[in-house]
Amino acid sequence: MEEVIPGIFLIKEKSGFERIKPSENIYIIAGPDGLIFDAGFGNKKVIKFLIKEINKIEQKYRDNNKDFKITQILVSHGHPDHFAGLKRIKNSLGVKIILTEKTADIIKNKKSFMKSFNSDSYEDYLIIQKGFRYRIRSFLEKLMFSFFFKRIYGLSFIAKPDEIIKDNTEISINGETWKVFPSPGHAIDHISLYNEEKGVLLSGDNVLSKTTWLGPPNCNIGDYIESIETIQKLPNLKIILAAHGALINNPRERTIEILEHRKERTQQVLDIVKEFTENGTSPDEIIQKLYSNKKKMRTEIARGWVCLTLKMLEEQNVIKRIEGKKEIKFYTPNKL
Ligand SMILES: [Zn+2]
């Protein structure tokens, strides 16, 4: 653990499988009525490590004659690397689990969680279902997902949290007021936690030093852009404590960079659609053009943001679709 700001500690949970399961940053806002932000992984070993690190913080506080008690835990959104540890952390520390209604609904049981993760390929990934083979594939994928989350993340669900809060509210941590506000886009239920006096934002997966993953079914690029703009306008924002990777010491520059990157990506997709426009272009063709020399796994991940971008452009009436027997194709109407 490391005290990143006076009174706020970072505990890094290493995953060992960086590519499929990135390391997680857990923040402890320490004091007499402290809070854990994001629950991280739920595997026994990881929880043991987390408790050990929290005990070290407690010792540090005791040595300095300061009160220390962690009483509450809040998660940024219902993705497995952020909530999997909730149950075991509660059992070990007796903390109160605080969730927004949207997150509580996603993580209440396996069925609800899988629904938020598994998508209907036809509309979400813009793939036309191809009969029996498609159904077998989708069944196997579901099985794999289920196994993967349980074993790799140590997932368990929260049937009923101790407290449900609004996604736009204030909470008290160590007697200080922190603002909770909705920041959807990467996930529909995403919230952020802000203390204006300190200028500290805990932003979950919204603002990372690397590009945040965006893909169906629970993401929306338009919402994501709006959330980044909201964060950019926060008065007195000095530092962003990100859920993965490095802390963001230059929030203004980083948020400008993120918005520019999204603009660039949208333009790239639109340019390809315009180029192909006479017969329309499919998401597969766009991905091939964008990632011509990249590996299959990389292009499969990219399908998420490409499809979301196409749908955003469609909503804005910039492009239109033609649904064929095998593919969905897009074109720019004003060019035809
Ligand atoms: Zn996430």
Side-chain angles (χ1 to χ4, degrees):
M1 56 89 180
E2 182 196 350
E3 189 166 15
V4 284
I5 290 167
I8 303 182
F9 294 79
L10 161 65
I11 299 174
K12 269 194 180 293
E13 287 184 353
K14 292 232 166 65
S15 80
F17 309 94
E18 276 306 309
R19 288 197 97 175
I20 50 165
K21 182 183 161 193
S23 293
E24 183 78 16
N25 295 339
I26 310 290
Y27 295 98
I28 311 291
I29 306 179
D33 181 24
L35 177 136
I36 306 175
F37 189 73
D38 272 337
F41 311 123
N43 319 68
K44 268 189 190 158
K45 237 179 155 177
V46 179
I47 297 291
K48 221 173 144 187
F49 165 76
L50 181 78
I51 305 294
K52 220 168 103 188
E53 293 295 292
I54 293 177
N55 287 341
K56 281 187 200 163
I57 305 172
E58 182 167 12
Q59 193 56 50
K60 195 177 147 97
Y61 269 59
R62 289 245 168 97
D63 292 347
N64 290 306
N65 285 324
K66 288 201 279 187
D67 283 344
F68 180 91
K69 190 162 174 60
I70 299 293
T71 55
Q72 41 193 337
I73 183 162
L74 174 68
V75 299
S76 58
H77 62 298
H79 281 171
D81 49 336
H82 298 262
F83 80 86
L86 274 175
K87 204 172 202 166
R88 283 204 165 118
I89 294 173
K90 185 184 167 69
N91 290 346
S92 304
L93 297 173
V95 291
K96 176 172 83 173
I97 297 176
I98 307 173
L99 298 173
T100 64
E101 209 161 308
K102 283 185 194 133
T103 305
D105 191 52
I106 290 173
I107 71 170
K108 65 183 176 199
N109 55 39
K110 186 176 164 186
K111 197 176 158 200
S112 179
F113 169 70
M114 291 311 281
K115 213 175 105 195
S116 81
F117 238 84
N118 257 306
S119 50
D120 153 28
S121 292
Y122 170 68
E123 190 42 48
D124 289 334
Y125 285 99
L126 303 170
I127 297 171
I128 291 186
Q129 298 187 30
K130 294 183 189 99
F132 187 63
R133 260 180 69 192
Y134 168 81
R135 286 203 296 276
I136 292 275
R137 200 185 118 181
S138 121
F139 172 73
L140 288 174
E141 260 173 21
K142 273 182 192 156
L143 263 186
M144 199 187 78
F145 262 126
S146 183
F147 173 79
F148 179 76
F149 287 129
K150 186 126 191 81
R151 295 300 296 265
I152 310 266
Y153 287 92
L155 204 64
S156 56
F157 302 100
I158 301 297
K160 208 171 170 273
D162 300 294
E163 191 182 339
I164 296 260
I165 53 165
K166 293 215 168 81
D167 51 12
N168 208 337
T169 189
E170 283 177 347
I171 59 170
S172 167
I173 308 169
N174 304 317
E176 294 171 334
T177 302
W178 287 72
K179 193 176 157 41
V180 173
F181 65 93
S183 49
H186 164 74
I188 208 164
D189 61 319
H190 203 300
I191 50 111
S192 302
L193 182 63
Y194 188 51
N195 184 295
E196 188 178 323
E197 207 177 304
K198 296 182 202 288
V200 176
L201 175 73
L202 287 87
S203 73
D205 281 351
N206 275 325
V207 185
L208 305 176
S209 50
K210 287 185 182 165
T211 304
T212 296
W213 173 84
L214 294 165
N218 263 350
C219 282
N220 181 299
I221 291 193
D223 288 350
Y224 181 67
I225 292 169
E226 261 179 48
S227 292
I228 300 298
E229 285 169 346
T230 304
I231 288 171
Q232 207 170 47
K233 286 185 205 129
L234 287 173
N236 196 37
L237 176 61
K238 288 182 187 147
I239 185 166
I240 298 178
L241 306 182
H244 305 280
L247 311 187
I248 315 288
N249 284 307
N250 54 345
R252 185 142 181 92
E253 286 86 342
R254 182 62 191 131
T255 47
I256 290 174
E257 237 171 55
I258 292 174
L259 293 174
E260 271 173 8
H261 177 69
R262 288 273 53 100
K263 225 173 160 180
E264 239 170 68
R265 285 305 210 184
T266 305
Q267 193 59 46
Q268 283 173 344
V269 170
L270 187 57
D271 286 346
I272 296 173
V273 176
K274 276 184 182 160
E275 192 186 319
F276 275 80
T277 226
E278 269 172 44
N279 308 311
T281 177
S282 69
D284 278 316
E285 284 165 334
I286 295 171
I287 294 161
Q288 264 165 31
K289 273 229 137 190
L290 287 170
Y291 297 91
S292 52
N293 46 14
K294 294 282 186 322
K295 288 196 177 112
K296 180 91 178 132
M297 169 110 167
R298 181 87 171 79
T299 58
E300 275 309 307
I301 292 171
R303 180 174 275 278
W305 77 260
V306 170
C307 290
L308 290 176
T309 303
L310 286 167
K311 274 186 272 186
M312 179 178 73
L313 290 169
E314 197 182 21
E315 266 168 39
Q316 296 168 345
N317 280 322
V318 179
I319 61 171
K320 289 203 177 305
R321 75 168 74 183
I322 317 163
E323 291 191 15
K325 270 190 175 164
K326 287 186 176 166
E327 278 179 320
I328 300 175
K329 292 195 169 215
F330 291 89
Y331 65 98
T332 46
N334 49 0
K335 278 257 182 153
L336 279 179

PDB file of all heavy atoms in Angstrom, residues 77 79 82 186 205, ligand 1:
ATOM      1  N   HIS A  77     -18.874   0.537 -10.405  1.00  0.00           N
ATOM      2  CA  HIS A  77     -19.825  -0.034 -11.379  1.00  0.00           C
ATOM      3  C   HIS A  77     -19.805  -1.552 -11.306  1.00  0.00           C
ATOM      4  O   HIS A  77     -18.905  -2.151 -10.720  1.00  0.00           O
ATOM      5  CB  HIS A  77     -19.539   0.458 -12.796  1.00  0.00           C
ATOM      6  CG  HIS A  77     -18.182   0.085 -13.344  1.00  0.00           C
ATOM      7  ND1 HIS A  77     -16.999   0.512 -12.782  1.00  0.00           N
ATOM      8  CD2 HIS A  77     -17.827  -0.679 -14.406  1.00  0.00           C
ATOM      9  CE1 HIS A  77     -15.988   0.049 -13.479  1.00  0.00           C
ATOM     10  NE2 HIS A  77     -16.451  -0.696 -14.472  1.00  0.00           N
ATOM     11  N   HIS A  79     -18.885  -4.153 -12.961  1.00  0.00           N
ATOM     12  CA  HIS A  79     -18.001  -5.049 -13.711  1.00  0.00           C
ATOM     13  C   HIS A  79     -17.277  -5.941 -12.702  1.00  0.00           C
ATOM     14  O   HIS A  79     -16.985  -5.499 -11.586  1.00  0.00           O
ATOM     15  CB  HIS A  79     -16.991  -4.248 -14.545  1.00  0.00           C
ATOM     16  CG  HIS A  79     -17.583  -3.703 -15.816  1.00  0.00           C
ATOM     17  ND1 HIS A  79     -16.938  -2.810 -16.628  1.00  0.00           N
ATOM     18  CD2 HIS A  79     -18.787  -3.955 -16.410  1.00  0.00           C
ATOM     19  CE1 HIS A  79     -17.701  -2.530 -17.674  1.00  0.00           C
ATOM     20  NE2 HIS A  79     -18.826  -3.201 -17.559  1.00  0.00           N
ATOM     21  N   HIS A  82     -14.553  -5.012 -10.250  1.00  0.00           N
ATOM     22  CA  HIS A  82     -14.859  -3.941  -9.288  1.00  0.00           C
ATOM     23  C   HIS A  82     -15.771  -4.393  -8.145  1.00  0.00           C
ATOM     24  O   HIS A  82     -15.811  -3.747  -7.119  1.00  0.00           O
ATOM     25  CB  HIS A  82     -15.492  -2.751 -10.015  1.00  0.00           C
ATOM     26  CG  HIS A  82     -14.558  -2.158 -11.017  1.00  0.00           C
ATOM     27  ND1 HIS A  82     -13.795  -1.052 -10.761  1.00  0.00           N
ATOM     28  CD2 HIS A  82     -14.215  -2.569 -12.264  1.00  0.00           C
ATOM     29  CE1 HIS A  82     -13.028  -0.798 -11.814  1.00  0.00           C
ATOM     30  NE2 HIS A  82     -13.267  -1.701 -12.734  1.00  0.00           N
ATOM     31  N   HIS A 186     -18.827   3.927 -20.094  1.00  0.00           N
ATOM     32  CA  HIS A 186     -18.090   2.654 -20.033  1.00  0.00           C
ATOM     33  C   HIS A 186     -19.018   1.567 -19.486  1.00  0.00           C
ATOM     34  O   HIS A 186     -18.967   0.423 -19.899  1.00  0.00           O
ATOM     35  CB  HIS A 186     -16.856   2.835 -19.150  1.00  0.00           C
ATOM     36  CG  HIS A 186     -16.232   1.568 -18.696  1.00  0.00           C
ATOM     37  ND1 HIS A 186     -15.499   0.768 -19.530  1.00  0.00           N
ATOM     38  CD2 HIS A 186     -16.259   0.939 -17.498  1.00  0.00           C
ATOM     39  CE1 HIS A 186     -15.084  -0.295 -18.858  1.00  0.00           C
ATOM     40  NE2 HIS A 186     -15.532  -0.224 -17.624  1.00  0.00           N
ATOM     41  N   ASP A 205     -13.336   3.383 -13.953  1.00  0.00           N
ATOM     42  CA  ASP A 205     -12.721   3.083 -15.256  1.00  0.00           C
ATOM     43  C   ASP A 205     -12.859   4.216 -16.262  1.00  0.00           C
ATOM     44  O   ASP A 205     -12.486   4.066 -17.426  1.00  0.00           O
ATOM     45  CB  ASP A 205     -13.388   1.828 -15.866  1.00  0.00           C
ATOM     46  CG  ASP A 205     -12.849   0.557 -15.240  1.00  0.00           C
ATOM     47  OD1 ASP A 205     -11.860   0.631 -14.485  1.00  0.00           O
ATOM     48  OD2 ASP A 205     -13.423  -0.515 -15.507  1.00  0.00           O
TER      49      ASP A 205
HETATM   50 ZN    ZN B   1     -15.271  -1.618 -16.043  1.00  0.00          ZN
END
